[in-house]
Amino acid sequence: MSVEQEQRTLRCLVAKVGLDGHDRGAHVISRALRDAGFEVIYSGLHRAPEEIVQATVQEDVDVLGISILSGAHDTLIPQILEGLQEYGALEDTLVVLGGIIPDEDRAPLKSEGVAEIFGPGASMNEMIEFIRENAPER
Amino acid sequence: MSQRHLVEDLLDGDHRALARVITNIEDRRPGYRDLVAELHQHTGEADVIGVTGSPGSGKSTLVDKLAATYRDRGLTVGVIAIDPSSPFTGGAVLGDRIRMASNIGDMDVFFRSMSARGTLGGISTATADAVKALDAFGKDRILVETVGAGQNEIDIVKTADTVTVLVPPGSGDDVQMLKAGILEIGDVFVVNKADLPGSDRTVQELREMLHHGGGDVPDTVGHHGASDAVEAFDSTGDERAGDEDWDPVIVETVANEGEGVDELVEVFADHADHLDSTGGRAANARTRYAAEIRRLLREDVNDLVAAELARQGGLDSFVGRVLDRETNPYAVADELVDPIAECVERRREN
């Protein structure tokens, strides 16, 4: 932890999108990121894609972590990615997903701009490590 | 680098550029000073409103409703919400955005969460600079929201033209807390959650305290802290000169229902008119810039000495010598500052 103190503070938006009331995971992740020294902005529940785009652009976060367990990822995630593109925010924001994403849906999402998908069983350390290594240079 | 473009893009209304400028300010990246310096000439148009109060008093909800009300009136809004960060990991959870439900997808409300990143006074500089960025961007109203719990927070709200203090009803303890320093900085007091029992009493208590406090509060309350240590940087007068003849107004609101918010906006407008007609706005700006210059001087001189200290082997070696009675703290301070003073003197002679 102390080794990391000198590096710049990474900002992360943890977002819940759409009609999906399961936020335990998002809370646990927010807490873990906070303890790892991140600045975490939590969106709250039931956010529309455009709200998440607005928050990502305005907060200038390094990482956007979207939690989705509703199965609507094929519809909602591309809307968010397009919105980020529109504001020129996609290329320097690391987008990661968490929740329930079936294997067959992963490749298309990744090709559209999602950097990594963390499903059930993923470890916090693995996720934090991934973010530290892949956070965009600015 | 691309900083020149950043300022141009910001002035052109590019949201991403505004966001990045604020990031540079927060991180104090190389060159951020030039950015802020360039923005300065484009500032001075916005009304800045500070909102403070204890945790859970409804600041974020009120700010959301205020932003929506201003938007209805055709004005653009910037919000800076400051939350504490962990002193141990530096991490923070910034949750003020959760309450921003009335401005979904409306990019003309620019909401930015900031954390108090631990450095004393640092957040005041960062907030003041972020306000400048929003001002230069062309926001009509800028709301600065922070938990009111100490000197740092009070310094932050001083960047505002109008300071609003939220008081939840039935909170004898909170009113006690207000005595400790926040009472004399408020221009407007909002008893939020006014639908809860006990709100009438809170209004009454507040009114009594404000009327009592008015005469008793010594003028010097506003300035204390580090500035006292450095006479040369001392302030030139009353901290909030424009407010002398302004009677603090108490407004009752139920922020989550939007009740009382229109009235509050009117009170803000009254205060803005008051500042304009009495010259208070200009006076406040003067004290604000004076404070800012003092703060920067302190930081820069500090950096200068820190660099000299590092060059001479760091603080520890001096401490060791002091412990061994080879020297004393005063001599160490002289030893470090004298060469710098000499340089200044030589410059002055030439």
Side-chain angles (χ1 to χ4, degrees):
Chain A
M1 192 194 303
S2 53
V3 184
E4 312 288 354
Q5 291 279 298
E6 288 305 311
Q7 71 184 30
R8 91 192 150 89
T9 306
L10 289 174
R11 287 165 67 85
C12 180
L13 173 66
V14 174
K16 289 294 302 183
V17 62
L19 293 176
D20 170 6
H22 301 275
D23 59 354
R24 179 70 59 89
H27 286 182
V28 170
I29 287 191
S30 299
R31 175 84 196 260
L33 291 172
R34 184 200 76 180
D35 289 345
F38 288 65
E39 274 178 17
V40 184
I41 294 142
Y42 179 51
S43 72
L45 278 172
H46 308 310
R47 298 297 139 165
E50 55 184 345
E51 275 179 276
I52 292 172
V53 170
Q54 183 186 17
T56 308
V57 171
Q58 295 184 347
E59 300 287 357
D60 195 21
V61 286
D62 303 276
V63 187
L64 166 61
I66 308 166
S67 158
I68 185 160
L69 296 88
S70 65
H73 46 268
D74 277 348
T75 325
L76 297 174
I77 304 300
Q79 287 178 18
I80 294 172
L81 297 172
E82 273 164 36
L84 292 180
Q85 187 77 60
E86 195 184 315
Y87 285 99
L90 187 57
E91 72 245 39
D92 58 2
T93 307
L94 183 72
V95 181
V96 294
L97 291 192
I100 307 294
I101 316 277
D103 286 343
E104 61 265 34
D105 294 344
R106 294 187 174 211
L109 286 170
K110 282 189 172 177
S111 73
E112 283 175 74
V114 173
E116 192 52 271
I117 297 168
F118 297 94
S123 86
M124 290 296 170
N125 285 341
E126 184 190 332
M127 185 192 66
I128 288 165
E129 223 27 65
F130 179 85
I131 290 175
R132 285 231 168 94
E133 269 162 34
N134 294 281
E137 282 296 321
R138 286 177 167 178
Chain B
M1 290 194 313
S2 59
Q3 300 226 324
R4 173 120 236 134
H5 292 292
L6 218 43
V7 172
E8 271 167 31
D9 290 350
L10 182 151
L11 295 172
D12 275 351
D14 181 343
H15 291 92
R16 193 70 181 151
L18 172 58
R20 186 54 52 87
V21 165
I22 298 179
T23 303
N24 286 345
I25 288 169
E26 268 201 292
D27 288 353
R28 303 188 167 208
R29 293 205 191 155
Y32 93 93
R33 286 183 160 223
D34 299 332
L35 273 180
V36 182
E38 239 176 288
L39 291 174
H40 179 78
Q41 58 179 308
H42 302 282
T43 61
E45 297 301 317
D47 270 358
V48 184
I49 296 160
V51 179
T52 189
S54 53
S57 55
K59 296 178 293 296
S60 302
T61 309
L62 184 67
V63 163
D64 176 48
K65 290 298 193 290
L66 283 170
T69 306
Y70 281 129
R71 291 295 296 134
D72 286 345
R73 297 178 184 201
L75 298 167
T76 58
V77 182
V79 180
I80 294 172
I82 299 148
D83 269 338
S85 63
S86 159
F88 302 110
T89 63
V93 173
L94 311 173
D96 295 320
R97 208 173 176 108
I98 298 175
R99 310 277 172 246
M100 294 303 287
S102 306
N103 302 286
I104 295 171
D106 179 2
M107 280 303 234
D108 285 326
V109 177
F110 190 99
F111 185 104
R112 181 64 177 242
S113 316
M114 283 170 77
S115 91
R117 289 194 182 161
T119 51
L120 188 67
I123 187 65
S124 325
T125 310
T127 310
D129 289 345
V131 165
K132 280 182 199 160
L134 289 168
D135 190 348
F137 187 82
K139 293 299 183 192
D140 300 308
R141 297 286 182 275
I142 298 169
L143 303 163
V144 179
E145 178 201 330
T146 179
V147 172
Q151 197 61 39
N152 242 0
E153 280 73 19
I154 292 175
D155 282 347
I156 292 165
V157 294
K158 275 192 202 147
T159 59
D161 299 305
T162 303
V163 176
T164 316
V165 177
L166 262 73
V167 188
S171 55
D173 284 348
D174 282 293
V175 174
Q176 295 293 332
M177 179 208 68
L178 290 175
K179 278 188 196 167
I182 265 187
L183 203 60
E184 51 285 271
I185 65 163
D187 302 305
V188 182
F189 289 85
V190 174
V191 176
N192 191 31
K193 309 188 186 182
D195 52 342
L196 291 183
S199 84
D200 290 347
R201 197 168 153 216
T202 303
V203 170
Q204 209 177 357
E205 281 175 353
L206 206 50
R207 189 164 288 135
E208 277 168 23
M209 279 172 64
L210 286 170
H211 285 275
H212 268 292
D216 296 355
V217 179
D219 274 337
T220 48
V221 162
H223 23 184
H224 87 299
S227 62
D228 282 353
V230 191
E231 278 300 315
F233 304 157
D234 204 4
S235 98
T236 47
D238 201 337
E239 287 280 341
R240 295 183 63 82
D243 297 327
E244 276 163 11
D245 44 2
W246 169 263
D247 272 334
V249 180
I250 301 170
V251 183
E252 289 179 78
T253 61
V254 184
N256 62 352
E257 308 280 339
E259 272 173 44
V261 175
D262 278 315
E263 195 194 339
L264 182 58
V265 166
E266 293 310 322
V267 171
F268 288 158
D270 288 347
H271 187 248
D273 289 344
H274 170 85
L275 287 176
D276 286 331
S277 64
T278 58
R281 189 183 298 274
N284 280 347
R286 284 192 79 89
T287 47
R288 203 154 53 223
Y289 286 130
E292 198 176 326
I293 293 169
R294 264 183 265 136
R295 207 161 51 217
L296 287 174
L297 282 175
R298 258 196 316 268
E299 283 173 26
D300 289 359
V301 172
N302 207 14
D303 288 349
L304 200 63
V305 175
E308 187 60 18
L309 189 61
R311 199 184 61 80
Q312 298 203 24
L315 193 57
D316 273 347
S317 66
F318 286 105
V319 171
R321 284 170 53 206
V322 169
L323 271 172
D324 294 340
R325 299 294 183 274
E326 277 175 39
T327 180
N328 61 74
Y330 287 97
V332 171
D334 284 345
E335 205 176 311
L336 287 164
V337 174
D338 277 351
I340 299 172
E342 265 167 43
C343 289
V344 174
E345 212 134 298
R346 221 173 303 140
R347 278 287 288 270
R348 214 180 285 148
E349 281 160 14
N350 290 340

